[in-house]
Amino acid sequence: MGPLPERLATLVDPRCRRGKRHPFVAVLLIACSAVVTGATSFAAIGEWAADAPQDVLARLGARTATVFSARVPPSGATLRRVVVRTCPGGLADLLGHDPAGGDTLAVDGKSARGSRHGTRPAAHLLAAMTGTGLAVTQLRVPDKTNEITCFAALLEPFDLHGVTVTGDALHTQREHARFLVDVKKAHYAFTVKRNQKNLYEQLRALPWQEAAAKFYDRTTGHGRTETRVVTALTVTDLGVDFPHAAQVARVVRHRTDTKTGRRSRETVYVITDLTSRQASPERLANILRAHWLIENRLHFVRDTSFREDASKIPPDMVRRTWPHCEASPSTSSAPLATPTSPPDSVRSPAAPTNAPWNCSASADLHLPLIKRLCNRPGPLIPHLHPYAYP
């Protein structure tokens, strides 16, 4: 699909036809721009829009008023109503990246702890991200269920032919494996831990001493030295009770704390339908490490840069819609450096200026899409007439 404004234009405007004053796309663009510059509340978004200079409002498609063609931003109440009522599923699909033709796709969930109110649990969001660090989509997990029941619904709309889908031990489910291989024509690589007791013991008892395919890797960082030994074993004829299982990998991690010298060892198993010709032990190790991108480039960005866990937005439609502004490709694909401190005040995000776009809320968070939108000459949406939306 085309640029962000063209994508947003395909959404259904939830407002009534009468009384519209601000273009629907412009309202969403202003909200997204405010969020990526540090706004963590609707009050902060409204203040950012009120302080925006005329050239920024023009590039974002704000409506004109008076004989001087002054750009008028939407009020905080208008921004809140539009964001609340916009379809969260459509917004997630439009702002997400198409995983077709990719190598891996990681699926994982997180809870927005700040959204817990009284006896109502915190909103839990299930998301998907490519192996290159691009957010694909997400959905809200119903309160009285868990991620398992939403796995198929999350991936159903996408073409996953040939893509390897990774998941943690919670998603090591037989139904998930059949759905991916039989329905989506994809591959899977699931971690097996003791929550699947029978399967775990079955994999543990395999003849690992006979395995010849191994891969060694050593990394140093985060105050520790870690050595990983990946051993792969073909299990086609070994009677492993899991649909379409072709290989099992045993990953042994040896960690040494660089300060205290304390050592630890951890063993996990990975089951996959990829054959030894399709995935060597080295590739299996790369697939496992790619799964952690969703932790580093999605969950970590939201918690550190956007302070999602500190948000007190109730777990309603707002909680389902708000994170899509944060999970757009402009933020999730950004390479991460040392995290910076969040804005000093929830109600005082980085104020827009007439200078080239500068995100002072997080200096290490690159925003190529918003930069391109706000530094290009002329109006962002040239086809919008000032009175196209009465």
Side-chain angles (χ1 to χ4, degrees):
M1 298 186 66
L4 181 59
E6 296 181 12
R7 295 188 181 193
L8 295 177
T10 62
L11 285 173
V12 177
D13 191 341
R15 299 173 294 177
C16 297
R17 185 176 62 179
R18 299 178 60 183
K20 292 181 183 178
R21 293 185 178 181
H22 300 278
F24 175 61
V25 175
V27 175
L28 294 180
L29 287 175
I30 290 173
C32 289
S33 301
V35 169
V36 298
T37 55
T40 56
S41 68
F42 284 110
I45 293 178
E47 291 182 4
W48 187 95
D51 295 337
Q54 289 291 301
D55 60 335
V56 172
L57 292 176
R59 290 161 188 162
L60 294 175
R63 74 182 183 98
T64 58
T66 75
V67 295
F68 300 103
S69 298
R71 297 284 176 168
V72 179
S75 65
T78 299
L79 289 164
R80 176 188 288 270
R81 285 195 300 268
V82 172
V83 172
V84 167
R85 297 174 61 186
T86 300
C87 174
L91 190 59
D93 294 339
L94 290 173
L95 295 181
H97 179 77
D98 187 2
D103 185 31
T104 62
L105 182 69
V107 177
D108 194 22
K110 73 177 293 290
S111 294
R113 289 174 291 186
S115 64
R116 183 180 293 107
H117 284 261
T119 58
R120 298 190 64 177
H124 194 80
L125 305 171
L126 183 63
M129 173 172 278
T130 65
T132 56
L134 297 176
V136 175
T137 187
Q138 72 174 9
L139 56 78
R140 165 79 181 274
V141 177
D143 293 338
K144 295 184 178 181
T145 182
N146 55 26
E147 299 178 16
I148 297 176
T149 59
C150 299
F151 182 87
L154 181 76
L155 303 179
E156 180 63 36
F158 302 100
D159 179 13
L160 301 179
H161 188 275
V163 180
T164 301
V165 179
T166 61
D168 55 20
L170 179 65
H171 294 290
T172 308
Q173 305 292 329
R174 290 166 173 78
E175 294 78 9
H176 293 357
R178 296 188 183 97
F179 168 75
L180 291 174
V181 177
D182 298 335
V183 179
K184 306 302 293 183
K185 308 302 178 184
H187 303 289
Y188 66 83
F190 293 148
T191 302
V192 180
K193 294 185 178 180
R194 295 184 184 274
N195 63 320
Q196 295 274 1
K197 183 178 180 179
N198 294 336
L199 180 60
Y200 180 87
E201 294 298 332
Q202 190 176 12
L203 300 186
R204 186 181 179 184
L206 291 175
W208 293 106
Q209 67 278 4
E210 301 177 7
K214 295 184 178 182
F215 173 72
Y216 297 86
D217 183 28
R218 173 174 290 183
T219 58
T220 301
H222 305 285
R224 68 190 182 194
T225 299
E226 181 172 337
T227 302
R228 290 174 293 275
V229 183
V230 181
T231 307
L233 190 65
T234 300
V235 295
T236 307
D237 300 326
L238 297 181
V240 174
D241 184 20
F242 201 81
H244 306 288
Q247 271 195 113
V248 173
R250 184 181 66 179
V251 183
V252 181
R253 301 187 181 102
H254 301 270
R255 297 188 180 97
T256 302
D257 191 297
T258 56
K259 291 184 178 180
T260 63
R262 182 179 179 181
R263 297 182 179 181
S264 62
R265 172 175 172 172
E266 180 187 18
T267 302
V268 297
Y269 297 93
V270 178
I271 191 167
T272 178
D273 70 314
L274 294 168
T275 64
S276 58
R277 290 176 177 262
Q278 295 173 314
S280 63
E282 181 178 2
R283 180 163 187 256
L284 290 176
N286 293 333
I287 290 174
L288 293 179
R289 291 185 67 86
H291 179 77
W292 288 101
L293 283 178
I294 195 171
E295 295 284 351
N296 298 332
R297 295 195 179 183
L298 187 63
H299 301 338
F300 179 81
V301 170
R302 289 181 178 177
D303 292 341
T304 303
S305 298
F306 295 109
R307 299 192 298 172
E308 184 179 76
D309 283 346
S311 176
K312 299 298 182 181
I313 300 177
D316 53 7
M317 182 72 75
V318 183
R319 171 55 63 184
R320 289 187 288 155
T321 307
W322 180 284
H324 301 313
C325 299
E326 302 172 353
S328 61
S330 62
T331 59
S332 61
S333 61
L336 294 178
T338 304
T340 58
S341 299
D344 294 334
S345 172
V346 183
R347 296 176 57 85
S348 300
T353 63
N354 289 310
W357 191 275
N358 179 27
C359 177
S360 61
S362 179
D364 296 317
L365 188 61
H366 301 283
L367 307 172
L369 180 58
I370 300 299
K371 280 184 177 180
R372 184 167 65 252
L373 294 179
C374 293
N375 288 324
R376 57 182 291 186
L380 178 64
I381 315 175
H383 63 276
L384 286 180
H385 189 273
Y387 301 101
Y389 295 80

